[in-house]
């Protein structure tokens, strides 16, 4: 009897009366109560199921676009965005810094072209230092595994940037120039013998360690995955090698809105490519590494089901 008494309280389909009975506007029945209870349970299940789907962002709608941009924007080499270190390697792959074997000169080239087609180039020295464990803000645990005492790092990234494409109104890139040691009064004739320099540079490599980035679209809160990458190119002290390392832009747009659109945009920089060419020109410069932006850009547009679309289902 107690069960029947409480069961009648669930009747949402009770018949409306013209008169009140026991102070009620509707007259409950057992059948109506059972049907109403089923409706409440079913609605509760769907609200719980689809509510979790909305809260947990289980259903991802992803559109990925890769295209070439006409003129890459100015990109500062912030040490909290990307990390790069490099040095010459012996044939046994060990890196070393030894100015009695080779020297390094680093310069940012900024070329501007006015409306009349006149070009102007400004050279800005880029300070280089030996790396240390305190140099890296991006994945420091990876770089600490390297031989940092024998690797070069950019000393200060303030006002150091990459921009544009060759032939555009503004084009900026960084040139790292490696030269054989040549005895002069400035270096107090401290170069090693020609035989030793040749033996160290013949069959050598340029070893590079760089932070790279991939996108994990289904990671709602942290879509970017940063990791370390090793790059290298071979060279010879008897020829000139020109290497171009390009970086690309990655843009992630995420719609966080539950009912209306709420777009959050995140921008990243990642490794794109390494291309080398060689020739047999004369001179002390045997290798150049050039750092520039690529015209390739990746865009990830992420969205999730909104409340109204879940309700429509």
């Amino acid at each position: 009897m107690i069960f029947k008494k409480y069961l009648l309280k669930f009747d949402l389909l009770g018949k409306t009366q013209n008169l009140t009975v026991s102070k009620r506007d509707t007259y409950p029945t057992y059948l109506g109560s059972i049907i109403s209870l089923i409706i409440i349970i079913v609605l509760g299940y769907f609200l719980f199921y689809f509510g979790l789907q909305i809260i947990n962002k289980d259903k991802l709608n992803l559109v990925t676009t890769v295209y070439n941009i006409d003129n890459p924007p100015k990109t500062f080499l912030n040490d909290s965005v990307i990390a790069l270190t490099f040095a010459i390697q012996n044939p046994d792959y060990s890196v070393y810094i030894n100015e009695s074997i080779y020297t390094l000169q680093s310069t940012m080239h900024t070329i501007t072209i006015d409306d009349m087609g006149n070009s102007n180039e400004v050279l800005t020295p880029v300070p280089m230092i030996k790396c240390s464990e305190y140099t890296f803000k991006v994945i420091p645990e990876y770089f600490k595994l390297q031989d940092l005492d024998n690797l070069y790092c950019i000393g200060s990234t303030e006002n150091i940037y990459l921009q544009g494409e060759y032939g555009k109104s503004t084009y900026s890139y960084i040139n790292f120039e490696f030269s054989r040691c040549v005895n002069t009064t400035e270096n107090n004739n401290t170069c090693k013998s020609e035989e030793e320099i040749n033996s160290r540079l013949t069959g050598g490599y340029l070893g590079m360690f760089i932070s790279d980035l991939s996108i994990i679209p289904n990671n709602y809160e942290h879509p970017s995955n940063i990791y370390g990458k090793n790059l290298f190119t071979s060279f010879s002290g008897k020829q000139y090698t020109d290497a171009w390392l390009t970086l690309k832009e990655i843009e992630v747009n995420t719609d966080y809105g539950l009912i209306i659109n709420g777009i959050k945009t995140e921008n990243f920089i990642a490794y794109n490519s390494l291309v080398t060419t060689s020739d047999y020109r004369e001179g002390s410069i045997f290798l150049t590494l050039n750092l520039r932006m690529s015209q390739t850009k990746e865009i990830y547009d992420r969205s999730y089901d909104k409340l109204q679309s879940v309700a429509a289902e």
Side-chain angles (χ1 to χ4, degrees), residues 56-240:
N56 295 334
K57 307 297 183 184
D58 290 332
K59 192 172 181 180
L60 170 65
N61 304 304
L62 176 67
V63 177
T64 304
T65 308
V66 179
Y67 69 99
N68 290 334
I69 54 180
D70 180 60
N71 197 17
K74 181 182 291 187
T75 302
F76 287 92
L77 294 184
N78 192 314
D79 56 8
S80 63
V81 174
I82 192 167
L84 172 66
T85 180
F86 54 82
I88 297 300
Q89 289 180 316
N90 288 307
D92 65 358
Y93 308 117
S94 60
V95 291
Y96 67 96
I97 296 175
N98 188 338
E99 293 191 347
S100 66
I101 301 294
Y102 75 91
T103 58
L104 172 65
Q105 183 175 355
S106 306
T107 310
M108 183 177 75
H109 296 245
T110 303
I111 304 170
T112 55
I113 304 175
D114 62 22
D115 294 337
M116 302 298 293
N118 301 312
S119 63
N120 180 60
E121 183 172 12
V122 176
L123 304 181
T124 304
V126 177
M128 301 299 296
I129 60 172
K130 283 186 178 182
C131 302
S132 75
E133 61 178 314
Y134 306 106
T135 305
F136 304 97
K137 296 180 180 179
V138 178
I139 51 172
E141 64 280 1
Y142 168 75
F143 288 98
K144 287 178 182 179
L145 298 175
Q146 315 312 324
D147 185 4
L148 297 181
D149 288 336
N150 286 298
L151 286 166
Y152 282 111
C153 285
I154 297 177
S156 172
T157 57
E158 185 177 2
N159 297 322
I160 302 300
Y161 58 87
L162 309 175
Q163 182 179 3
E165 171 68 15
Y166 182 78
K168 299 297 182 180
S169 58
T170 302
Y171 173 50
S172 294
Y173 69 98
I174 299 175
N175 172 261
F176 304 100
E177 188 177 85
F178 297 84
S179 302
R180 300 164 59 93
C181 181
V182 177
N183 281 322
T184 63
T185 54
E186 293 180 357
N187 63 16
N188 295 320
N189 299 316
T190 56
C191 296
K192 299 293 186 181
S193 66
E194 281 295 308
E195 292 76 13
E196 183 172 351
I197 292 175
N198 288 335
S199 66
R200 295 288 294 274
L201 297 182
T202 300
Y205 299 87
L206 172 63
M208 295 162 277
F209 300 93
I210 187 172
S211 61
D212 199 5
L213 181 143
S214 62
I215 298 299
I216 306 175
N218 58 1
N219 190 323
Y220 175 67
E221 294 184 352
H222 305 287
S224 63
N225 174 48
I226 302 177
Y227 60 95
K229 181 187 288 289
N230 171 234
L231 303 170
F232 66 91
T233 184
S234 60
F235 66 86
S236 171
K238 298 179 180 180
Q239 67 180 26
Y240 170 75

Side-chain angles (χ1 to χ4, degrees), residues 175-178 240-244 285-290:
N175 172 261
F176 304 100
E177 188 177 85
F178 297 84
Y240 170 75
T241 300
D242 191 30
W244 288 87
I285 302 172
F286 63 90
L287 172 68
T288 55
L289 172 64
N290 303 282

